[in-house]
Amino acid sequence: MHLARFPRRTYTEGRTPLHPLPRFSAALGGPEIWIKRDDATGLAGGGNKTRKLEFLIADARAKGADLVITTGAPQSNHARLTLAAAAVEGLRTRLLIEERVPGTYAEDAVGNALLFDLMDVDRIEVVPAGSDLAAGLEAMADAARGEGFTPYVIPGGGSTPLGSLGYVACAEETLQQAFEQGVAFDHVVAASGSGGTHAGLVAGLHGATAGVPLTGVSVRAERAAQEAKIHRLASETFALAGGAGEVPRDAVVVRDDQVGPGYSLPTEAMGEAVRLLARTEAILADPVYTGKALAGLIAMVREGTWSADDRVLFVHTGGSPALHAYPAQVRAG
Ligand SMILES: *Cc1c(COP(=O)(O)O)cnc(C)c1O
């Protein structure tokens, strides 16, 4: 696979750090846990969507777009980073906000929603959970064309095969850093939501014949549905990247024990994970994605998945701006 064939904008200088978490690992008494700091990508607040947007916004520019339209939840990191990428490119942005938890969209909200205003979102439309988002995005694009814009639509999370190339790139970058640091990983754990991160990592690790198992921790869907979705997207991403052959179905593993009452709704284990990472390593996770993904990793440690000399990599996908929108949910007691 040769990703340099794809047009790309660069929003992160150099590579994101890869380093061990000695105090976090010691507190858990399990394997040696490492972290890939994709919370430290470029654009306002950083996070995993930055890597996807490098490919998506390059495509938007190639197509002459002057307006980007995308969708997400009221505290969407993806919407924040799409706005940020559009801002630095001089493009406008319109958002279709899906109120996944009824009553959670508020014009005066903090966290990511505050940053939507700060980065000058052109228009926000709010629809209830379960709305047909693809149709909603198309309607917004039609309206924009009627106003003389050339819109570019990015589906939720930027999880198209093109966007997922960002996580093929992350897998390649991580393997190169692991080689330079002389560390061989036995397992990778990451959050699995709209799926581009998980699918891109699967495609990248498979394409590099890395032989490292990857567990995606679902933040919303149940296991069977999420695995089917990720396998489909990983296969399309792998084919787009020029990979030969098929992505094996068993390369896609999801656990869904951390979803709790539902997307973005807090769990005890999430709060514990967010606090433990902050107290031991001064690294901020988030309540919706990385807190639950880390809780999945902690559950695997406690289940005895690994031995003391195994090395486990957690891919930190960002999200800490959302912490400020959920103070009660992440505070102890
Ligand atoms: C979007 C998001 C994820 C999930 O990534 P997907 O590619 O949508 O599966 C994980 N962590 C954070 C902080 C996110 O914003």
Side-chain angles (χ1 to χ4, degrees), residues 47-49 52 76-78 80-81 156-159 167 191-198 219 226 230 286 288-290 316-320:
N48 61 343
K49 306 308 179 307
K52 303 176 185 184
S76 172
N77 298 301
H78 166 69
R80 163 182 41 95
L81 288 167
S159 288
Y167 274 83
S192 191
S194 69
T197 303
H198 187 177
V219 297
Q226 187 72 1
I230 299 297
D286 82 285
V288 180
Y289 296 96
T290 51
H316 191 332
T317 44
S320 70

Side-chain angles (χ1 to χ4, degrees), residues 156-197:
S159 288
T160 62
L162 187 67
S164 303
L165 292 181
Y167 274 83
V168 174
C170 178
E172 293 180 351
E173 178 180 305
T174 303
L175 290 170
Q176 181 61 29
Q177 288 172 302
F179 174 69
E180 288 167 15
Q181 297 186 40
V183 49
F185 291 113
D186 299 288
H187 210 119
V188 180
V189 177
S192 191
S194 69
T197 303

Side-chain angles (χ1 to χ4, degrees), residues 7 13 17-18 43 61 72 103 111 178 193 199 245 264 266 303 307 325-326:
E13 203 180 316
L18 176 78
L43 299 177
R61 284 169 49 104
S264 82
E303 286 161 9
S307 60
Y326 298 83

